[in-house]
Amino acid sequence: PICLKKITTAVFAVFALIFVTSCAHAGAKQATPPKKVLKPSQTAKSAANLSADAYFHFLTAELQMKEGNLTTAVELYKKALESDPASGFLLTEIASAYTQSNNADEAVKYLERAIAADPSYPESYSALAEIYIARGNETAAAEKYRKAIELAPDNYKNYLLLATFYARMKEY
């Protein structure tokens, strides 16, 4: 009986505490947080424009990339490309997989194809610029970064990459 009385008292105390705190907050005016407008990334927009079949293979390739299966990922990206052969986005993703597998020559080929297929896709230019930097072709790298900025002026990443490039080159 004594334990039941203690439990009942504890439960009553908890409910009383909840009631008091809810009453205290009821009168307080709560500030509404500002609405944040989320903009989809360039990648998300590009992926959304793929056909259903290409999107399936793209997502499967992404999973393989995350698992470190680069060869399988490239095969799946290429399957996606069969459904959307003019996709600068998919060509750039294939190039990214080649870059991660230390095959810059193939990456450059796919990035050049990506730019030819979709000259308005800025990620192709910045990816190509990064390879040019690794190869010591600073002039071409700066040109590609500037083109990426021209195409996507609200993408801070390209400004940062170009600024980092200039800092390394000591071109202030």
Side-chain angles (χ1 to χ4, degrees):
I2 196 90
C3 286
L4 185 58
K5 186 175 182 181
K6 285 182 181 180
I7 293 172
T8 306
T9 305
V11 170
F12 178 78
V14 169
F15 280 120
L17 183 60
I18 292 171
F19 177 76
V20 169
T21 56
S22 65
C23 288
H25 289 297
K29 187 172 186 175
Q30 294 183 2
T32 53
K35 291 183 180 179
K36 185 175 182 180
V37 178
L38 297 175
K39 292 183 180 179
S41 68
Q42 185 69 33
T43 302
K45 287 183 210 172
S46 299
N49 290 329
L50 296 174
S51 69
D53 191 47
Y55 189 65
F56 169 77
H57 291 297
F58 163 73
L59 288 178
T60 309
E62 288 289 292
L63 291 172
Q64 292 300 312
M65 287 290 287
K66 293 207 183 316
E67 293 291 321
N69 302 325
L70 302 176
T71 304
T72 304
V74 167
E75 291 171 12
L76 289 164
Y77 283 133
K78 287 180 179 180
K79 260 191 128 28
L81 192 61
E82 290 173 12
S83 298
D84 275 327
S87 173
F89 166 70
L90 287 173
L91 290 161
T92 301
E93 293 300 311
I94 294 170
S96 175
Y98 277 125
T99 300
Q100 289 184 40
S101 59
N102 296 318
N103 191 343
D105 291 335
E106 281 300 305
V108 168
K109 288 178 190 174
Y110 275 91
L111 289 168
E112 288 172 347
R113 280 181 60 191
I115 290 169
D118 184 1
S120 67
Y121 186 61
E123 300 300 323
S124 304
Y125 294 94
S126 57
L128 191 53
E130 291 177 36
I131 293 173
Y132 285 159
I133 286 173
R135 291 183 166 183
N137 190 346
E138 292 85 12
T139 305
E143 175 189 317
K144 297 303 179 195
Y145 277 137
R146 285 192 293 272
K147 183 65 176 177
I149 289 169
E150 176 187 319
L151 292 170
D154 58 340
N155 184 347
Y156 70 90
K157 177 185 152 205
N158 292 321
Y159 291 100
L160 183 60
L161 290 170
L162 183 60
T164 303
F165 165 74
Y166 281 138
R168 267 189 282 165
M169 302 309 299
K170 298 187 183 207
E171 291 185 27
Y172 307 112

